[in-house]
Amino acid sequence: MRVLVLGGDGYIGWPTAMKLSAAGHEVMAVDNYLRRRLMMEINTPALFDVPNLQERARLWNEKSGKDVSVRIGDLDNWDFISSVFEEFRPDSIIHYAEQPSAPYSMLDRAAARLTLDNNLGATFNVIHAMNEYTPNAHLVKLGTMGEYGTPNIDIEEGWIEIEHKGRKGTFLFPRAAGSFYHTTKVLDTDMLWFYVRVWDLRVTDLMQGPVYGVATEENDNDDALYSFLNYDEVFGTVLNRFMVQAVAGYPLTVYGAGGQTRGYLHLKDALQCVQLAVENPADKGELRVFNQFVETFSVNDLASRVQASGKRLGLDVEIRNLENPRKEMEDHYYNPAHTGLLDLGLKPNILTDDVMDEMMQLTTRYKDRIVEEQIFRGVKWKK
Ligand code: USQ
């Protein structure tokens, strides 16, 4: 297939480009380096330097003999995106091209506005470009489990049948996002659902939980092909952050009571899920939703896992409960369904002690690069 990876320079975007290229697909990766720019603007460098996208494609070609073509530009610009669709004519479009951080979206008004404009603008243009140039293509859009929030009932896989006053109907599962970033993902889903209804598009919306790890089959033993590993409060996700904190001897930053529970997955599984979605497209006129995670953990569970791994590796890891800078439930019911991707063939990589220790060892190799001041800055949801 001809697969367009939008946001192809990102934490999941670049590994996806390699994975699908290794699987024999023709891949074009597109990015405007927004994440790199924001990381520079707010001074949150990743744990190690990452070559630019063109250089990554060159290194991947050296390693695998395969080509990933690269285009740099802003998908919010119609001339640019239409030229990409006209030239490449994708069978499948993977859309990751969004500002991905909840804390970034809560920094201030300008950051919230950038998140709104970028995320909704890119999604709108992708839908229109697809309808204009490749109406039979399949769009695989990255959403987030955080769209649902933490309701006091079981979370279904995208849709729920509701009986009301004796009549029944099927509706998108209620959404209640916990940050402005997550809210833009809810708005994306609504926009997709509208255009699926009116234009019969094929769309898969992936409700993904927080991802951890950087090692994949494709970048094995090749650090130059790794993703960004952010450990700062804005762009780092919780398990990656805790591992860096443990290695730095910084007490693990558990927010509040630490009972916040989410569905997690290794980067390798995020790639498997996306590949399964691409290779098993949704039907025309279908908005298919998958809940994309493997295991649920509370923040306290993750902190204990990191502490135990630290102990095995000779590190004394302290856990500290901080006042929660976010507004979220710290003790709640959480039971989301997640059978769709398993039914398509997902083989989960669970968070075993070996996996934990390998990730901690990788992090330890870059210990000298850790800047403690990056770890916590207290971006508050309510000033
Ligand atoms: N947390 C801590 N301490 C920390 C960092 C986070 O206790 O130092 C807690 C948070 O309060 C939250 C949980 O850990 O309850 C997860 O936080 P996170 O920063 O790992 O994840 P989140 O902000 O929700 O966002 C990340 C990705 C986002 C993706 C989302 C999936 O950045 O792109 O959409 O995970 S989900 O969480 O399922 O919505």
Side-chain angles (χ1 to χ4, degrees):
M1 284 188 201
R2 299 167 70 79
V3 185
L4 193 55
V5 182
L6 306 175
D9 189 49
Y11 174 58
I12 308 175
W14 174 244
T16 300
M18 288 193 290
K19 176 100 202 157
L20 295 180
S21 151
H25 299 294
E26 192 176 335
V27 176
M28 176 183 273
V30 181
D31 211 290
N32 64 347
Y33 292 140
L34 174 69
R35 184 199 182 108
R36 291 181 190 252
R37 172 163 78 78
L38 299 181
M39 278 160 55
M40 270 199 286
E41 278 179 13
I42 62 167
N43 189 24
T44 54
L47 188 59
F48 35 78
D49 295 327
V50 166
N52 69 33
L53 188 54
Q54 291 95 333
E55 180 62 8
R56 289 169 133 182
R58 193 188 65 72
L59 291 166
W60 171 242
N61 174 269
E62 259 177 22
K63 185 182 173 102
S64 67
K66 308 215 179 246
D67 287 321
V68 167
S69 49
V70 169
R71 294 283 301 271
I72 301 299
D74 187 354
L75 298 169
D76 201 12
N77 176 322
W78 177 252
D79 289 343
F80 174 72
I81 189 172
S82 54
S83 73
V84 167
F85 272 76
E86 197 171 13
E87 175 197 339
F88 190 64
R89 303 266 165 190
D91 301 304
S92 198
I93 301 122
I94 303 173
H95 174 22
Y96 296 130
E98 301 212 337
Q99 189 298 97
S101 157
Y104 182 84
S105 74
M106 304 302 287
L107 266 178
D108 54 27
R109 188 189 52 77
R113 183 62 198 247
L114 180 148
T115 306
L116 177 71
D117 292 348
N118 180 80
N119 294 6
L120 272 295
T123 302
F124 175 87
N125 274 356
V126 169
I127 292 169
H128 279 260
M130 187 169 146
N131 190 51
E132 212 158 295
Y133 295 100
T134 57
N136 284 317
H138 173 215
L139 173 61
V140 177
K141 160 73 175 52
L142 189 69
T144 169
M145 281 299 291
E147 291 187 32
Y148 303 121
T150 51
N152 198 32
I153 59 171
D154 289 356
I155 297 173
E156 301 302 329
E157 208 145 8
W159 301 92
I160 186 168
E161 189 176 296
I162 295 179
E163 189 172 343
H164 181 62
K165 296 185 177 170
R167 301 179 68 81
K168 277 188 192 164
T170 300
F171 300 87
L172 279 170
F173 193 89
R175 262 75 176 159
S179 77
F180 190 63
Y181 149 76
H182 288 97
T183 301
T184 62
K185 296 277 188 180
V186 174
L187 299 172
D188 282 338
T189 296
D190 254 323
M191 189 155 61
L192 290 168
W193 178 213
F194 171 72
Y195 282 115
V196 164
R197 293 197 306 273
V198 295
W199 287 345
D200 277 336
L201 302 179
R202 294 172 200 274
V203 178
T204 300
D205 202 358
L206 299 173
M207 301 296 119
Q208 183 172 253
V211 178
Y212 55 84
V214 288
T216 67
E217 281 168 36
E218 291 68 41
N219 63 23
D220 191 27
N221 290 321
D222 205 337
D223 296 21
L225 291 173
Y226 282 159
S227 279
F228 301 104
L229 205 165
N230 281 101
Y231 61 94
D232 62 278
E233 176 184 324
V234 175
F235 288 106
T237 47
V238 63
L239 183 54
N240 288 346
R241 272 167 65 61
F242 282 180
M243 289 188 286
V244 171
Q245 292 169 6
V247 167
Y250 191 102
L252 306 189
T253 56
V254 171
Y255 295 166
Q260 303 92 307
T261 303
R262 304 283 184 268
Y264 290 83
L265 70 168
H266 193 285
L267 179 58
K268 285 180 186 166
D269 286 351
L271 304 186
Q272 268 197 75
C273 291
V274 167
Q275 185 174 357
L276 285 166
V278 164
E279 292 175 356
N280 299 277
D283 291 334
K284 256 184 112 50
E286 182 189 15
L287 173 65
R288 181 176 62 167
V289 183
F290 290 132
N291 291 346
Q292 181 163 313
F293 69 93
V294 162
E295 299 168 277
T296 57
F297 296 109
S298 68
V299 175
N300 287 329
D301 294 334
L302 294 176
S304 307
R305 300 292 292 264
V306 171
Q307 190 176 48
S309 172
K311 199 164 182 196
R312 289 191 293 276
L313 302 175
L315 298 171
D316 189 11
V317 179
E318 193 191 323
I319 299 175
R320 187 171 295 166
N321 291 79
L322 302 177
E323 188 188 332
N324 196 339
R326 304 187 182 195
K327 195 152 191 248
E328 60 185 353
M329 277 193 249
E330 295 171 9
D331 180 19
H332 57 90
Y333 181 75
Y334 200 63
N335 187 28
H338 60 123
T339 53
L341 287 157
L342 292 167
D343 290 347
L344 283 186
L346 171 66
K347 303 270 177 297
N349 286 283
I350 60 170
L351 185 61
T352 60
D353 288 352
D354 285 347
V355 171
M356 266 304 324
D357 295 355
E358 268 170 40
M359 293 194 297
M360 289 278 279
Q361 278 156 345
L362 189 153
T363 307
T364 308
R365 294 216 312 267
Y366 292 95
K367 182 171 189 244
D368 293 346
R369 294 268 316 211
I370 302 172
V371 180
E372 282 202 8
E373 293 70 47
Q374 304 290 356
I375 292 177
F376 187 73
R377 62 166 81 188
V379 178
K380 288 201 168 48
W381 262 220
K382 196 157 187 268
K383 311 280 186 280

